[in-house]
Amino acid sequence: MISDKMAALRLTPVSRETESRLDRYLDLLRTWQAKTNLVAPSTLPHLWTRHVSDSLQLLTLAPSSKSWMDLGSGGGFPGVVLACALAETSGAMVHLVERNAKKAAFLREALRVTSAPGVVHLDDIRDIVDRIPEPIDCVTARAVAPLNQLIGFAEPMVRRGARALFLKGQDVEAELTAATKCWNIMPRLHSSVTGGQGWIVELDGIERRDPSDKHHGTHT
């Protein structure tokens, strides 16, 4: 696990304070994992490279963003990781949306032990996106739902000026093809710094497509 952490910090360097917060977070996750399934058990030896670095890389795409919303936070990736990294940023806040009560309880405890700036919303994603009063700079999601559905969740926030950053896997092309049947989008694809077949789908404009419109979105 030490080598995994070192490899991750080479990919996505952080301050000592952030590293300490992430250590406390992962210690808590390992403890809770025994009773609540927060991550795939096979990834436990590689928490830093598989989950932490994967989450931290989003900050390089939105370095000035302070207000974040993470949809379906689950075990806290990327939401808690982002909150830990933003703890020294004045005015930063991460909204964590999770409908599972046990996972939401874990997320609250993770924010407490790390003193990270965040709030947990125990709610369905579709019910919360219109109820956050303050503007959201960036909306994220990882391993939650198909892209077509995520775009629908994020559309109200993107319409108000947010940027969407969705972590996706090897099926991203198929998901984009399906999404453009319903949405006019111009996505930007970023290859994950963690290697493998991971991608980040970046969107800063979303419009529901007119069924009579034959022009589908393209990506770069």
Side-chain angles (χ1 to χ4, degrees), residues 15-32:
S15 68
R16 291 196 179 199
E17 292 79 10
T18 295
E19 181 183 343
S20 177
R21 287 187 180 88
L22 291 170
D23 278 332
R24 296 198 297 274
Y25 164 49
L26 295 184
D27 285 344
L28 182 73
L29 185 146
R30 292 185 189 98
T31 300
W32 277 62

Side-chain angles (χ1 to χ4, degrees), residues 67-70 73 93-97 118-119 121 132 134 136:
S67 180
W68 295 69
M69 177 178 280
D70 186 36
S73 295
M93 177 59 62
V94 180
H95 296 271
L96 308 170
V97 184
V119 59
H121 303 273
I132 302 298
E134 65 264 34
I136 298 296

Side-chain angles (χ1 to χ4, degrees), residues 185-205:
I185 53 174
M186 295 292 287
R188 288 179 288 278
L189 287 182
H190 306 274
S191 180
S192 173
V193 301
T194 60
Q197 296 174 309
W199 296 89
I200 301 164
V201 179
E202 178 182 0
L203 299 167
D204 55 18

Side-chain angles (χ1 to χ4, degrees), residues 101-118:
K102 289 183 178 179
K103 291 179 179 179
F106 166 76
L107 294 170
R108 291 191 186 95
E109 183 65 5
L111 293 174
R112 187 189 69 80
V113 302
T114 59
S115 299

Side-chain angles (χ1 to χ4, degrees), residues 1-10 19-20 23 45 48-49 53:
M1 290 186 184
I2 294 176
S3 61
D4 181 61
K5 177 180 176 179
M6 291 175 63
L9 292 179
R10 284 194 295 270
E19 181 183 343
S20 177
D23 278 332
W48 279 90
T49 51
S53 282

Side-chain angles (χ1 to χ4, degrees), residues 14-214:
V14 296
S15 68
R16 291 196 179 199
E17 292 79 10
T18 295
E19 181 183 343
S20 177
R21 287 187 180 88
L22 291 170
D23 278 332
R24 296 198 297 274
Y25 164 49
L26 295 184
D27 285 344
L28 182 73
L29 185 146
R30 292 185 189 98
T31 300
W32 277 62
Q33 178 73 12
K35 56 183 178 180
T36 303
N37 187 38
L38 299 170
V39 297
S42 61
T43 66
L44 284 172
H46 310 287
L47 285 174
W48 279 90
T49 51
R50 287 287 298 276
H51 299 299
V52 175
S53 282
D54 199 43
S55 302
L56 286 172
Q57 66 180 322
L58 298 182
L59 291 169
T60 65
L61 297 177
S64 61
S65 294
K66 292 186 177 182
S67 180
W68 295 69
M69 177 178 280
D70 186 36
L71 307 179
S73 295
F77 305 105
V80 173
V81 173
L82 295 172
C84 287
L86 292 166
E88 306 303 318
T89 300
S90 176
M93 177 59 62
V94 180
H95 296 271
L96 308 170
V97 184
E98 177 52 53
R99 68 178 182 178
N100 181 288
K102 289 183 178 179
K103 291 179 179 179
F106 166 76
L107 294 170
R108 291 191 186 95
E109 183 65 5
L111 293 174
R112 187 189 69 80
V113 302
T114 59
S115 299
V119 59
V120 178
H121 303 273
L122 177 58
D123 214 331
D124 284 334
I125 296 171
R126 69 180 74 253
D127 296 330
I128 194 68
V129 292
D130 284 319
R131 298 210 308 264
I132 302 298
E134 65 264 34
I136 298 296
D137 297 324
C138 210
V139 55
T140 65
R142 181 178 188 259
V144 176
L147 188 59
N148 182 55
Q149 190 174 2
L150 288 177
I151 291 172
F153 291 150
E155 189 273 336
M157 288 173 284
V158 172
R159 189 177 353 111
R160 296 194 295 267
R163 178 185 306 180
L165 295 174
F166 298 138
L167 290 152
K168 283 293 176 179
Q170 61 182 353
D171 296 329
V172 66
E173 292 285 354
E175 290 197 43
L176 281 168
T177 298
T180 55
K181 294 177 181 178
C182 300
W183 304 99
N184 280 326
I185 53 174
M186 295 292 287
R188 288 179 288 278
L189 287 182
H190 306 274
S191 180
S192 173
V193 301
T194 60
Q197 296 174 309
W199 296 89
I200 301 164
V201 179
E202 178 182 0
L203 299 167
D204 55 18
I206 297 172
E207 292 181 357
R208 188 172 291 278
R209 197 168 75 83
D210 185 331
S212 64
D213 181 8
K214 300 303 182 183

